[in-house]
Amino acid sequence: MKQLSHKITILLLLLSSCWSHYASAGDSSSVNPRNYFYKNKTVVWEDHFNDDHNGWLTDNDSTENDDPNDGLTDNDSTEEKNIYAIIADGLFKYKNTAPKNIYAYGVNPNIDFSRDFEIEYSAKIISAPKRNWTASVLFWARDSMNYSCYLYCSIHGDISYLAFDVANNQKLIKKRYSTHFKKDGSFNKITIRKKSDKIYVFINEHFKSALKYIPISGKRIGLGAGANAEVWYDYVRISYLKS
Protein backbone atom coordinates (compact mmCIF):
# COMPACT_ATOMS: atom_id res chain seq x y z
CA MET A 1 0.00 0.00 0.00
CA LYS A 2 2.85 2.36 0.83
CA GLN A 3 4.30 1.78 -2.65
CA LEU A 4 0.93 2.55 -4.25
CA SER A 5 0.49 5.66 -2.12
CA HIS A 6 3.97 6.84 -3.12
CA LYS A 7 3.14 6.37 -6.82
CA ILE A 8 -0.13 8.27 -6.47
CA THR A 9 1.70 11.15 -4.77
CA ILE A 10 4.23 11.33 -7.62
CA LEU A 11 1.42 11.27 -10.18
CA LEU A 12 -0.42 14.10 -8.43
CA LEU A 13 2.77 16.17 -8.31
CA LEU A 14 3.32 15.63 -12.04
CA LEU A 15 -0.27 16.64 -12.82
CA SER A 16 0.11 19.73 -10.65
CA SER A 17 3.32 20.68 -12.47
CA CYS A 18 1.68 20.22 -15.88
CA TRP A 19 -1.28 22.36 -14.85
CA SER A 20 0.98 25.12 -13.56
CA HIS A 21 2.86 25.13 -16.86
CA TYR A 22 -0.41 25.24 -18.82
CA ALA A 23 -1.78 28.06 -16.69
CA SER A 24 1.37 30.13 -17.07
CA ALA A 25 1.33 29.58 -20.84
CA GLY A 26 -2.09 31.24 -20.91
CA ASP A 27 -0.86 34.18 -18.89
CA SER A 28 -0.21 37.12 -21.24
CA SER A 29 2.88 38.11 -19.26
CA SER A 30 4.54 34.83 -20.22
CA VAL A 31 3.76 35.07 -23.96
CA ASN A 32 6.70 35.99 -26.17
CA PRO A 33 5.63 38.96 -28.34
CA ARG A 34 8.07 37.78 -31.02
CA ASN A 35 5.80 34.81 -31.71
CA TYR A 36 3.31 35.57 -34.47
CA PHE A 37 0.55 33.41 -32.99
CA TYR A 38 -0.06 35.67 -30.03
CA LYS A 39 -3.47 34.53 -28.77
CA ASN A 40 -3.93 36.95 -25.88
CA LYS A 41 -5.60 39.70 -27.84
CA THR A 42 -9.04 41.03 -28.69
CA VAL A 43 -10.03 42.46 -32.08
CA VAL A 44 -11.51 45.92 -31.52
CA TRP A 45 -11.74 47.31 -35.07
CA GLU A 46 -11.37 46.01 -38.62
CA ASP A 47 -12.31 46.83 -42.18
CA HIS A 48 -12.59 44.31 -45.03
CA PHE A 49 -13.53 47.03 -47.53
CA ASN A 50 -16.88 45.61 -48.53
CA ASP A 51 -18.14 49.21 -48.49
CA ASP A 52 -17.07 52.63 -47.22
CA HIS A 53 -18.89 52.61 -43.88
CA ASN A 54 -15.71 53.85 -42.13
CA GLY A 55 -15.44 56.89 -44.39
CA TRP A 56 -12.13 56.34 -46.18
CA LEU A 57 -13.44 58.13 -49.26
CA THR A 58 -15.91 60.56 -47.67
CA ASP A 59 -13.92 61.91 -44.72
CA ASN A 60 -13.21 65.58 -45.51
CA ASP A 61 -9.97 65.38 -43.54
CA SER A 62 -8.62 62.32 -45.29
CA THR A 63 -6.23 63.62 -47.95
CA GLU A 64 -3.07 63.48 -45.92
CA ASN A 65 0.47 64.23 -46.96
CA ASP A 66 2.67 61.60 -45.37
CA ASP A 67 6.15 62.67 -46.27
CA PRO A 68 7.42 64.54 -43.18
CA ASN A 69 10.42 65.78 -45.14
CA ASP A 70 8.72 67.58 -48.04
CA GLY A 71 7.52 70.65 -46.14
CA LEU A 72 3.90 70.52 -47.32
CA THR A 73 0.97 71.02 -44.98
CA ASP A 74 -0.91 68.07 -43.46
CA ASN A 75 -4.06 67.97 -45.57
CA ASP A 76 -3.03 69.66 -48.80
CA SER A 77 -6.16 69.64 -50.97
CA THR A 78 -4.19 70.86 -53.99
CA GLU A 79 -2.66 67.38 -54.18
CA GLU A 80 -6.06 65.66 -54.47
CA LYS A 81 -5.65 65.54 -58.25
CA ASN A 82 -2.81 63.05 -57.80
CA ILE A 83 -4.89 60.54 -55.82
CA TYR A 84 -7.18 57.89 -57.29
CA ALA A 85 -8.87 55.87 -54.56
CA ILE A 86 -11.85 53.53 -54.72
CA ILE A 87 -13.36 50.71 -52.69
CA ALA A 88 -14.38 47.90 -55.02
CA ASP A 89 -14.27 44.09 -55.17
CA GLY A 90 -13.62 43.94 -51.43
CA LEU A 91 -10.46 46.03 -51.80
CA PHE A 92 -9.27 49.55 -51.00
CA LYS A 93 -7.43 50.54 -54.18
CA TYR A 94 -5.12 53.53 -53.76
CA LYS A 95 -3.07 55.10 -56.55
CA ASN A 96 -0.71 58.05 -56.08
CA THR A 97 0.51 59.70 -59.30
CA ALA A 98 2.47 62.46 -57.53
CA PRO A 99 6.08 62.52 -58.78
CA LYS A 100 7.69 62.63 -55.34
CA ASN A 101 5.26 62.89 -52.41
CA ILE A 102 3.80 60.17 -50.16
CA TYR A 103 0.05 60.30 -49.48
CA ALA A 104 -2.55 58.36 -47.51
CA TYR A 105 -6.24 58.42 -46.62
CA GLY A 106 -7.07 58.25 -42.93
CA VAL A 107 -9.98 57.52 -40.61
CA ASN A 108 -10.52 57.72 -36.86
CA PRO A 109 -11.44 54.29 -35.40
CA ASN A 110 -11.29 55.68 -31.83
CA ILE A 111 -8.40 53.46 -30.77
CA ASP A 112 -6.35 54.06 -27.62
CA PHE A 113 -2.81 53.72 -28.96
CA SER A 114 -1.35 54.22 -25.48
CA ARG A 115 -2.34 50.61 -24.79
CA ASP A 116 -0.53 47.52 -26.06
CA PHE A 117 -1.98 46.81 -29.48
CA GLU A 118 -1.53 45.05 -32.81
CA ILE A 119 -2.24 46.24 -36.35
CA GLU A 120 -2.36 43.78 -39.22
CA TYR A 121 -3.08 44.48 -42.86
CA SER A 122 -2.81 42.71 -46.19
CA ALA A 123 -1.57 44.60 -49.25
CA LYS A 124 -0.62 43.98 -52.86
CA ILE A 125 1.77 46.38 -54.55
CA ILE A 126 0.45 46.79 -58.10
CA SER A 127 3.20 49.13 -59.25
CA ALA A 128 5.96 51.27 -57.77
CA PRO A 129 9.33 52.60 -58.93
CA LYS A 130 12.07 50.14 -57.99
CA ARG A 131 14.28 52.91 -56.68
CA ASN A 132 11.67 54.22 -54.20
CA TRP A 133 11.80 53.11 -50.58
CA THR A 134 8.02 53.57 -50.18
CA ALA A 135 5.21 51.72 -51.94
CA SER A 136 2.61 50.80 -49.30
CA VAL A 137 1.97 53.20 -46.42
CA LEU A 138 0.48 52.63 -42.97
CA PHE A 139 0.21 55.33 -40.32
CA TRP A 140 -1.28 55.15 -36.84
CA ALA A 141 -1.64 57.25 -33.67
CA ARG A 142 -1.62 60.25 -35.98
CA ASP A 143 -2.50 63.76 -34.86
CA SER A 144 -0.74 65.61 -37.66
CA MET A 145 2.25 65.13 -39.95
CA ASN A 146 4.54 65.97 -37.05
CA TYR A 147 2.90 63.59 -34.57
CA SER A 148 2.52 60.15 -36.05
CA CYS A 149 3.97 56.68 -36.53
CA TYR A 150 4.55 55.26 -39.99
CA LEU A 151 5.39 51.94 -41.57
CA TYR A 152 6.54 52.06 -45.19
CA CYS A 153 7.17 49.04 -47.41
CA SER A 154 9.00 49.13 -50.73
CA ILE A 155 8.34 46.94 -53.76
CA HIS A 156 11.40 44.92 -52.70
CA GLY A 157 10.14 44.27 -49.17
CA ASP A 158 12.23 46.90 -47.41
CA ILE A 159 10.41 47.93 -44.24
CA SER A 160 10.85 51.41 -42.76
CA TYR A 161 9.49 52.39 -39.35
CA LEU A 162 9.28 56.12 -38.64
CA ALA A 163 7.98 57.98 -35.60
CA PHE A 164 7.77 61.73 -35.14
CA ASP A 165 6.98 63.66 -31.96
CA VAL A 166 8.08 67.23 -32.68
CA ALA A 167 6.98 68.67 -29.33
CA ASN A 168 9.30 66.34 -27.42
CA ASN A 169 12.01 66.46 -30.12
CA GLN A 170 11.78 62.73 -30.80
CA LYS A 171 12.45 61.24 -34.22
CA LEU A 172 13.16 57.64 -35.11
CA ILE A 173 13.83 56.10 -38.51
CA LYS A 174 14.69 52.42 -38.88
CA LYS A 175 14.93 50.25 -42.00
CA ARG A 176 14.89 46.48 -42.35
CA TYR A 177 14.90 44.09 -45.32
CA SER A 178 12.51 41.17 -45.39
CA THR A 179 13.47 37.87 -46.98
CA HIS A 180 9.88 36.64 -46.52
CA PHE A 181 8.31 39.31 -48.73
CA LYS A 182 6.40 37.88 -51.70
CA LYS A 183 7.45 39.47 -54.97
CA ASP A 184 5.19 37.44 -57.25
CA GLY A 185 2.33 39.94 -57.27
CA SER A 186 0.39 38.32 -54.43
CA PHE A 187 -0.75 39.89 -51.17
CA ASN A 188 1.65 40.33 -48.26
CA LYS A 189 0.49 40.27 -44.65
CA ILE A 190 2.23 42.87 -42.49
CA THR A 191 1.81 42.94 -38.72
CA ILE A 192 3.06 45.39 -36.13
CA ARG A 193 2.70 44.61 -32.44
CA LYS A 194 3.28 47.19 -29.75
CA LYS A 195 4.16 45.57 -26.41
CA SER A 196 5.49 47.74 -23.62
CA ASP A 197 8.26 49.93 -25.11
CA LYS A 198 8.87 47.88 -28.28
CA ILE A 199 7.36 47.49 -31.74
CA TYR A 200 7.56 43.98 -33.21
CA VAL A 201 7.34 43.72 -37.00
CA PHE A 202 6.20 40.58 -38.87
CA ILE A 203 6.11 39.90 -42.61
CA ASN A 204 3.81 37.05 -43.65
CA GLU A 205 3.83 35.74 -40.06
CA HIS A 206 7.64 35.78 -39.81
CA PHE A 207 9.21 37.92 -37.09
CA LYS A 208 11.57 40.49 -38.59
CA SER A 209 12.56 43.06 -36.00
CA ALA A 210 12.00 44.58 -32.57
CA LEU A 211 12.31 48.36 -32.50
CA LYS A 212 12.04 51.10 -29.91
CA TYR A 213 8.52 52.51 -29.65
CA ILE A 214 7.93 56.25 -29.42
CA PRO A 215 4.45 56.84 -27.93
CA ILE A 216 2.23 59.19 -29.95
CA SER A 217 -1.17 60.29 -28.66
CA GLY A 218 -3.06 60.72 -31.96
CA LYS A 219 -6.14 58.70 -32.94
CA ARG A 220 -6.09 58.33 -36.71
CA ILE A 221 -5.03 55.37 -38.81
CA GLY A 222 -4.36 55.52 -42.54
CA LEU A 223 -3.37 53.63 -45.67
CA GLY A 224 -1.83 54.98 -48.83
CA ALA A 225 0.99 54.81 -51.35
CA GLY A 226 4.35 56.30 -52.18
CA ALA A 227 5.13 58.45 -55.20
CA ASN A 228 4.00 56.92 -58.52
CA ALA A 229 2.77 53.81 -56.71
CA GLU A 230 -0.47 51.84 -56.67
CA VAL A 231 -1.38 49.55 -53.77
CA TRP A 232 -4.46 47.41 -53.11
CA TYR A 233 -5.45 46.69 -49.50
CA ASP A 234 -7.49 43.61 -48.64
CA TYR A 235 -8.15 44.33 -44.96
CA VAL A 236 -6.85 46.12 -41.89
CA ARG A 237 -7.40 44.90 -38.33
CA ILE A 238 -6.60 46.38 -34.90
CA SER A 239 -6.49 44.37 -31.67
CA TYR A 240 -5.77 45.20 -28.03
CA LEU A 241 -3.30 42.92 -26.32
CA LYS A 242 -4.33 41.56 -22.94
CA SER A 243 -2.03 42.70 -20.15
Side-chain angles (χ1 to χ4, degrees):
M1 286 293 292
K2 288 184 178 180
Q3 244 184 346
L4 179 60
S5 176
H6 181 65
K7 288 180 179 179
I8 292 174
T9 301
I10 292 174
L11 179 61
L12 289 174
L13 287 172
L14 286 171
L15 288 172
S16 175
S17 175
C18 289
W19 172 253
S20 297
H21 176 75
Y22 174 79
S24 65
D27 179 4
S28 61
S29 63
S30 67
V31 177
N32 186 346
R34 294 171 181 258
N35 295 333
Y36 172 77
F37 293 103
Y38 191 105
K39 296 181 179 180
N40 293 342
K41 59 187 175 184
T42 302
V43 175
V44 292
W45 185 88
E46 60 185 331
D47 199 333
H48 292 269
F49 304 116
N50 295 315
D51 52 41
D52 191 28
H53 66 279
N54 283 313
W56 294 93
L57 306 178
T58 58
D59 187 342
N60 292 325
D61 191 31
S62 62
T63 306
E64 309 197 24
N65 167 40
D66 275 288
D67 187 349
N69 299 308
D70 70 4
L72 296 179
T73 57
D74 188 35
N75 295 304
D76 194 335
S77 60
T78 61
E79 297 299 324
E80 183 73 20
K81 64 182 183 296
N82 294 311
I83 307 303
Y84 301 87
I86 62 170
I87 291 178
D89 307 316
L91 299 168
F92 178 38
K93 302 178 180 181
Y94 194 98
K95 184 177 182 179
N96 176 10
T97 63
K100 66 173 184 176
N101 297 328
I102 300 167
Y103 289 97
Y105 277 8
V107 296
N108 186 348
N110 196 29
I111 298 298
D112 181 3
F113 287 108
S114 68
R115 297 180 54 168
D116 289 339
F117 64 86
E118 179 181 285
I119 303 175
E120 181 174 284
Y121 69 95
S122 176
K124 178 195 290 189
I125 299 173
I126 302 302
S127 62
K130 293 183 178 180
R131 67 183 183 279
N132 285 13
W133 64 306
T134 304
S136 68
V137 176
L138 166 72
F139 70 70
W140 70 94
R142 180 187 176 98
D143 176 69
S144 70
M145 185 170 57
N146 294 321
Y147 302 93
S148 186
C149 297
Y150 306 85
L151 196 77
Y152 297 159
C153 182
S154 78
I155 197 170
H156 307 292
D158 299 300
I159 294 293
S160 303
Y161 165 56
L162 300 85
F164 294 89
D165 180 356
V166 173
N168 294 306
N169 196 30
Q170 294 189 87
K171 179 179 179 180
L172 178 68
I173 300 178
K174 296 287 185 180
K175 297 182 182 180
R176 296 290 187 273
Y177 178 75
S178 174
T179 55
H180 296 98
F181 189 83
K182 300 175 185 176
K183 302 178 183 179
D184 58 357
S186 56
F187 281 87
N188 283 279
K189 181 192 294 185
I190 300 178
T191 307
I192 60 164
R193 178 176 299 143
K194 182 262 178 182
K195 181 68 173 174
S196 188
D197 61 346
K198 291 286 192 301
I199 282 283
Y200 300 86
V201 181
F202 301 81
I203 307 296
N204 295 317
E205 305 183 3
H206 293 274
F207 171 72
K208 299 312 302 178
S209 187
L211 304 166
K212 176 186 175 183
Y213 180 66
I214 294 180
I216 308 293
S217 59
K219 298 291 186 180
R220 294 172 69 76
I221 182 173
L223 299 169
N228 287 314
E230 181 176 1
V231 184
W232 293 2
Y233 295 92
D234 184 36
Y235 70 87
V236 56
R237 178 182 300 124
I238 306 176
S239 302
Y240 285 149
L241 306 185
K242 297 178 182 178
S243 58

